Amino acid sequence: MAREFSTVGVVGLGTMGAGIVEVFARNGIDVVAVEISAPALERGRATLKGSTDRAVAKGKLAEADRDALHERVHFAVGLDALHSVDLVIEAVPEHLDLKQRIFAELDRVCRPETILATNTSSLSVTEISVATSRPNQVIGIHFFNPAPVMKLVEVVRTVVTAPEVVADVEALCARLGKVDVTINDRAGFIANALLFGYLNHAVAMFESHYATREDIDAAMKLGCGLPMGPLALMDLIGLDTAYEILDTMYRRGGRDRRHAPVPLLKQMVTAGLLGRKSGRGFYTYERPGSPVVVPDETTPLATDAALADGARAIAKVGVVGSGTMATGIIEVFAKAGYEVVSVTRGMEKSAKVCEAVKTSLNKGVVRGKLAEADRDAALGRISWSATLDHLADVDLVVEAVVEELSVKKALFASLDEICKPGVVLATTTSSLPVIDVAMATQRPADVVGLHFFNPAPVMPLVEVVRTIRTSPEATATARAVCAALGKTGVVCGDRSGFIVNALLFPYLNDAVKMLEASYSTADDIDHAMKLGCGYPMGPFELLDVVGLDVSLAIQRELYLELREPGFAPAPLLEHLVTAGYLGRKTRRGFRDHAHR
Ligand SMILES: NC(=O)c1ccc[n+]([C@@H]2O[C@H](COP(=O)([O-])OP(=O)(O)OC[C@H]3O[C@@H](n4cnc5c(N)ncnc54)[C@H](O)[C@@H]3O)[C@@H](O)[C@H]2O)c1
């Protein structure tokens, strides 16, 4: 029989603590909510009230239930109020000495059988536990932000945590409607160990002006389907908390430089820019604690006029290539009203591409998303050719041929001879340096990258890559074209992986390393990222879909270009590729898909 928890204590009512109080009280458990001072207590009370009022306004909580919830919460200053609770969860700032002091005091104040839990994200639960005389009753209960929403709880057992304490806490998580994964005490546990390298990398991109905050966030939301971009997430977590987590992970996690907090973070924390809780972080909020972003001095002007500033007029577009990407891109341009010249290496290939475009457009008609007349008009705008000479009068060329530098360079040299002056020449490469392609022409200022995502007609994101030679007009033109296609164009520099792949693949690679180290299972890691961070797929699900060979190739490129030791491909990934386990396409990758 699992132990019955009728009253729990929560220490610290900040970003996490206030949410944790709500989780318990919503599930019929009495809570003693403790803070360090009367003003801090009032802040915590106000956070709880704001959150439950919002739930009522959204129809997710009945007024009577809200009132009952509040009745279950007793607020107090100081730890003495916790003398008779069954379990305490500590959620004070991420400092080891502070947490150890609090645990020593809890040990004195609480009954001998009380379980003492920490919500730490990165500190050693073991080190916290030895500040008490009952380390076997100390455990990590790591909630995710926002606690009332995110389903995951990481239960962290140390080498001395009693098995029955683990079992009692697991049963409690189930009662709270949470999904738990139980793991050993390691810096960052599952989710943060995979998340924070990525977040820190995104801050480094922002700090180096590689891309704007809006573009970095839009890229990860639209390119990967994440619920928030990394900088908006940093603001939600709190920059002071994020700094401490990174710092601890750096020191505890083998001094991986990717966890060394980017200098900008420290500066922002010192300046009081802590994210949502202080009303300003990477973004500016309506007021402290508000989730509503308001424009500030770096907010870009979103008007069409601003987007088109300096952009050249584009009416006719050439698309070179006959693969999946070229086919999708032809469809996208034709549907958006552009005249399109498709160039392949032979009329047979053209016929195939034409069939594929027709099939795709017909699907749109069958699904009721496209009128028959619009389909016919789109097809009527496309002309099919097997010679580049037909690109003499286009305004934009999008190249989507095989991913080989020599082939692309030869093609761009030809385009340079054939196309009229002022044409924007774009490559869809996902891994080659755009500048190499640009320098094959006499007009590198007119060359950009237009990195579409697959399937192009569906995915809303395009990365607009500007090289050190790209003119502002060419960039503006590319961005305006993306907008006219109904896509979001994000502008970034010409570095391996651009924004999305550079941020995504090291995270996937880290997940493989975690599996390889036997810290957790593929299922639990996938669960943790989906339920703790709201990702649409777990890393192993995604790797099997993308293809392990493709993922390995991208990771190798990143490693070669940036020489970051942490980017070295996971040996397990290399072995699976060598063994021919490439993911869904070979029916076996991290999982066996043959029988599914
Ligand atoms: N922010 C997140 O997204 C997140 C997610 C999961 C876990 N965590 C972890 O939760 C813990 C709390 O982080 P946070 O972001 O909520 O911090 P926070 O700064 O928002 O809140 C901390 C609260 O603790 C209070 N406090 C400080 N000293 C105290 C004391 N001696 N007694 C009682 N209260 C005291 C402060 O007044 C403040 O209200 C940290 O260990 C953090 O790593 C944070």
Side-chain angles (χ1 to χ4, degrees):
M1 264 291 281
R3 182 195 307 219
E4 196 46 47
F5 295 98
S6 52
T7 311
V8 306
V10 176
V11 184
L13 308 177
T15 308
M16 289 310 291
I20 295 170
V21 169
E22 183 177 336
V23 171
F24 282 112
R26 259 197 195 210
N27 287 282
I29 298 173
D30 289 333
V31 185
V32 181
V34 167
E35 257 291 352
I36 194 169
S37 65
L41 196 67
E42 279 320 304
R43 253 199 333 268
R45 197 198 295 269
T47 307
L48 180 65
K49 185 170 180 314
S51 172
T52 50
D53 285 352
R54 276 197 301 276
V56 169
K58 282 188 195 154
K60 290 185 175 168
L61 186 68
E63 268 184 51
D65 291 340
R66 175 197 55 197
D67 298 344
L69 183 160
H70 285 276
E71 300 246 309
R72 283 186 210 108
V73 185
H74 171 72
F75 290 92
V77 172
L79 301 183
D80 287 341
L82 300 170
H83 52 80
S84 52
V85 300
D86 305 310
L87 168 107
V88 178
I89 296 200
E90 160 280 310
V92 303
E94 190 79 341
H95 297 289
L96 182 62
D97 50 350
L98 172 64
K99 294 199 191 256
Q100 284 184 324
R101 262 203 331 272
I102 287 185
F103 271 71
E105 204 176 327
L106 288 172
D107 191 33
R108 275 193 298 278
V109 170
C110 297
R111 293 193 315 235
E113 64 275 19
T114 301
I115 292 175
L116 305 180
T118 172
N119 184 51
T120 183
S121 308
S122 58
L123 294 167
S124 159
V125 180
T126 315
E127 281 182 61
I128 295 171
S129 76
V130 293
T132 73
S133 63
R134 55 177 107 180
N136 59 337
Q137 277 161 246
V138 176
I139 192 164
I141 306 184
H142 184 231
F143 284 87
F144 285 77
N145 189 0
V149 179
M150 302 314 288
K151 276 256 171 272
L152 184 76
V153 175
E154 289 173 324
V155 175
V156 186
R157 61 173 169 231
T158 74
V159 286
V160 292
T161 310
E164 58 274 18
V165 169
V166 177
D168 289 344
V169 167
E170 286 172 343
L172 175 65
C173 290
R175 181 173 164 199
L176 298 174
K178 301 288 184 191
V179 175
D180 67 276
V181 294
T182 300
I183 44 191
N184 295 334
D185 186 15
R186 195 177 107 161
F189 316 128
I190 297 177
N192 284 350
L194 297 181
L195 186 67
F196 271 82
Y198 147 69
L199 294 177
N200 204 33
H201 190 177
V203 176
M205 279 184 176
F206 173 73
E207 188 191 44
S208 63
H209 302 285
Y210 180 67
T212 64
R213 60 183 184 186
E214 283 83 5
D215 280 0
I216 292 171
D217 280 351
M220 295 314 285
K221 275 174 69 171
L222 303 178
C224 305
L226 304 188
M228 302 179 95
L231 302 175
L233 179 55
M234 286 294 268
D235 276 358
L236 174 69
I237 292 169
L239 269 52
D240 49 346
T241 303
Y243 177 87
E244 294 301 331
I245 293 173
L246 280 165
D247 191 49
T248 314
M249 290 196 30
Y250 175 72
R251 283 185 282 106
R252 284 187 72 206
R255 302 198 177 248
D256 184 338
R257 291 180 340 137
R258 292 177 303 155
H259 291 139
V262 169
L264 176 66
L265 271 178
K266 180 79 184 180
Q267 293 159 30
M268 290 176 76
V269 171
T270 308
L273 309 177
L274 306 183
R276 277 192 198 180
K277 62 182 159 190
S278 70
R280 176 123 202 208
F282 289 103
Y283 296 90
T284 304
Y285 300 85
E286 214 173 22
R287 62 192 135 67
S290 163
V292 181
V293 174
V294 294
D296 58 23
E297 64 281 3
T298 52
T299 304
L301 296 170
T303 60
D304 289 347
L307 210 56
D309 198 16
R312 298 173 195 153
I314 305 287
K316 193 166 180 182
V317 180
V319 180
V320 187
S322 51
T324 316
M325 290 314 288
T327 308
I329 292 167
I330 292 168
E331 178 183 336
V332 167
F333 275 101
K335 267 203 299 210
Y338 290 92
E339 221 187 305
V340 182
V341 183
S342 154
V343 180
T344 72
R345 281 171 298 156
M347 285 323 283
E348 256 176 49
K349 285 196 189 298
S350 290
K352 273 196 187 147
V353 178
C354 178
E355 264 324 294
V357 171
K358 272 188 191 155
T359 308
S360 178
L361 287 171
N362 279 335
K363 269 191 204 151
V365 173
V366 171
R367 289 191 189 135
K369 288 184 179 168
L370 189 68
E372 279 186 30
D374 291 336
R375 171 198 61 195
D376 297 342
L379 282 170
R381 284 186 207 107
I382 311 172
S383 57
W384 307 95
S385 162
T387 162
L388 293 174
D389 293 338
H390 286 130
L391 300 177
D393 65 343
V394 298
D395 308 305
L396 164 72
V397 179
V398 180
E399 164 277 311
V401 304
V402 66
E403 190 77 342
E404 252 171 59
L405 188 57
S406 58
V407 176
K408 295 203 193 255
K409 279 168 86 166
L411 174 62
F412 272 73
S414 305
L415 292 174
D416 193 21
E417 281 171 13
I418 293 164
C419 296
K420 63 186 183 189
V423 172
V424 171
L425 302 176
T427 170
T428 55
T429 182
S430 45
S431 63
L432 301 168
V434 178
I435 189 66
D436 276 330
V437 177
M439 294 311 286
T441 72
Q442 301 298 315
R443 43 175 125 176
D446 293 330
V447 178
V448 295
L450 272 183
H451 185 225
F452 284 83
F453 288 72
N454 190 16
V458 177
M459 295 297 287
L461 183 74
V462 179
E463 286 172 318
V464 175
V465 185
R466 63 170 169 222
T467 75
I468 44 172
R469 299 283 298 260
T470 307
S471 70
E473 295 75 31
T475 309
T477 306
R479 212 167 183 172
V481 165
C482 292
L485 295 175
K487 310 257 181 220
T488 297
V490 295
V491 178
C492 64
D494 183 20
R495 273 171 37 174
S496 180
F498 309 135
I499 300 174
V500 173
N501 287 354
L503 291 177
L504 179 68
F505 282 87
Y507 143 73
L508 297 175
N509 192 50
D510 283 347
V512 180
K513 289 182 186 167
M514 182 178 276
L515 181 69
E516 197 168 17
S518 301
Y519 179 62
S520 186
T521 62
D523 286 350
D524 275 357
I525 296 172
D526 276 353
H527 262 127
M529 296 317 290
K530 286 197 287 189
L531 301 177
C533 305
Y535 283 25
M537 277 192 217
F540 297 104
E541 284 173 307
L542 186 56
L543 281 160
D544 275 2
V545 169
V546 172
L548 274 55
D549 51 342
V550 174
S551 306
L552 178 62
I554 293 173
Q555 190 60 29
R556 276 198 184 129
E557 298 269 358
L558 287 170
Y559 180 52
L560 282 177
E561 179 165 305
L562 300 170
R563 316 281 168 106
E564 168 57 59
F567 284 174
L572 176 61
L573 186 60
E574 311 220 17
H575 291 184
L576 288 167
V577 171
T578 308
Y581 296 161
L582 307 184
R584 283 183 179 269
K585 59 187 167 189
T586 59
R587 314 191 75 164
R588 177 146 181 195
F590 284 96
R591 295 198 172 87
D592 187 349
H593 300 282
H595 308 294
R596 293 187 182 207

